[in-house]
Amino acid sequence: MLIDLRSDTLTQPTPGMKEAMFAAPIGDDVFGEDPTVNALEEKISKLFGMEAALYCPSGTMTNQIAIRLHTRIQTEVICHKYSHIYLYEGGGIMANSLASVKLLDGNLGKITAAQIAESINPDDVHAPETTLVSLENTMNKGGGSIYTLDEIKPIHSLCQQKGIKLHLDGARFFNALVETGESAADWGAHFDTISICLSKGLGCPIGSVLLGSKADIKQARKVRKVFGGGMRQAGFLAAAGIYALDHHIERLKEDHARARMLGEMLSKSPFVSEILPVATNIVIARLENTSPEEFMKKLADQNIKSVKFGKDLVRFVTHLDFGDDHLEEFGKRIQNI
């Protein structure tokens, strides 16, 4: 049995999802005529209480479109130094928007209103204008750490006061919601744009959605076109998103429970010195007396896949295709290392 814990992007569509995909009515989405894409965009925008939404191929695209909307040449984005938009999107802040970036540090990948306030540039000819703050929930490099609304509200108020836009990279947003019990609509009220990934914990084969005002999404559609993201009969894929929103949110708690047990199993390894707090479906192990490469080789010999996440860190991600039988087998194999 292969135990693949590299990412929650590795899942296969469930039988129910496949059935929904092949039954979907389709049209040309570039003309705005795919009924299933339109239904997905309407469904998720209502869920968040936001005016409009745009279906895109990837979360990188939805994030980069948002950055393009909220910046221009000689402006600056504030984000955590471990943010996906900075580390894992190919230098897109510069390449796509010609914007500068100010990187902040913070516990488990999170930043505060006080930190942001200190980092907003003055109205000075020597400094780029601060036009955007970007947050990530859950925070990948923070071990799946969670922002709560109480943490977001002062950041939102600060951005409103300073005339700065606020974007949320919600690649694993529903992983956070099932833990906090907060509503998507409450979050929608605090952000100018939100990116939601459907192909991670929700188990879709592809796709992310950008949410925002009607005006922002109208412009986002133009940016998506120039990024090469306009898709034609995309309803087959959008149908998976609708199915996931209906059937795959609450079950995320199962992934979290297995992640906590996985962390406990790993903590007993003689090569693991620390397990970062397991808040959702990401487990990060800090190693001792071995390197990530050596430890991953030992895991691979047991047919377990993981990813290096730093000079002494290895990441494991639970997901839709990692069940109790996989967890039990993992526990047996880790004892052999």
Side-chain angles (χ1 to χ4, degrees), residues 1-51:
M1 177 193 293
L2 171 65
I3 300 176
D4 197 338
L5 295 165
R6 289 174 296 169
S7 178
D8 44 7
T9 60
L10 296 162
T11 56
Q12 298 291 310
T14 63
M17 182 178 284
K18 288 181 180 178
E19 184 177 346
M21 292 170 70
F22 284 107
I26 58 172
D28 190 319
D29 182 49
V30 174
F31 284 100
E33 296 175 358
D34 190 302
T36 307
V37 172
N38 294 342
L40 171 63
E41 293 171 345
E42 181 179 359
K43 181 182 184 70
I44 198 165
S45 59
K46 285 183 177 179
L47 181 63
F48 280 82
M50 301 181 81
E51 290 182 352

Side-chain angles (χ1 to χ4, degrees), residues 30-102:
V30 174
F31 284 100
E33 296 175 358
D34 190 302
T36 307
V37 172
N38 294 342
L40 171 63
E41 293 171 345
E42 181 179 359
K43 181 182 184 70
I44 198 165
S45 59
K46 285 183 177 179
L47 181 63
F48 280 82
M50 301 181 81
E51 290 182 352
L54 182 68
Y55 184 57
C56 294
S58 72
T60 293
M61 182 174 287
T62 46
N63 282 333
Q64 290 299 316
I65 290 173
I67 293 167
R68 173 71 73 85
L69 292 177
H70 302 317
T71 63
R72 61 186 184 279
I73 295 175
Q74 293 183 289
T75 61
E76 189 163 81
V77 181
I78 293 176
C79 64
H80 192 280
K81 67 179 183 179
Y82 290 154
S83 294
H84 192 279
I85 63 167
Y86 177 72
L87 288 182
Y88 299 120
E89 299 187 6
I93 296 173
M94 180 281 297
N96 296 317
S97 298
L98 297 177
S100 179
V101 59
K102 182 171 288 184

Side-chain angles (χ1 to χ4, degrees), residues 203-273:
C204 295
I206 192 172
S208 289
V209 183
L210 181 66
L211 297 127
S213 67
K214 289 182 179 178
D216 277 345
I217 297 304
K218 181 179 179 180
Q219 183 62 28
R221 196 172 293 274
K222 294 183 179 182
V223 179
R224 185 187 69 173
K225 182 65 176 176
V226 79
F227 281 180
M231 297 183 287
R232 300 297 179 172
Q233 286 73 25
F236 291 123
L237 301 172
I242 294 173
Y243 184 90
L245 292 173
D246 288 339
H247 299 282
H248 288 174
I249 293 177
E250 284 303 313
R251 66 147 308 279
L252 291 170
K253 295 178 182 178
E254 301 173 21
D255 295 342
H256 301 174
R258 293 187 185 107
R260 289 189 288 270
M261 289 185 278
L262 191 81
E264 292 175 7
M265 294 172 179
L266 282 163
S267 69
K268 298 174 183 177
S269 168
F271 299 108
V272 174
S273 64

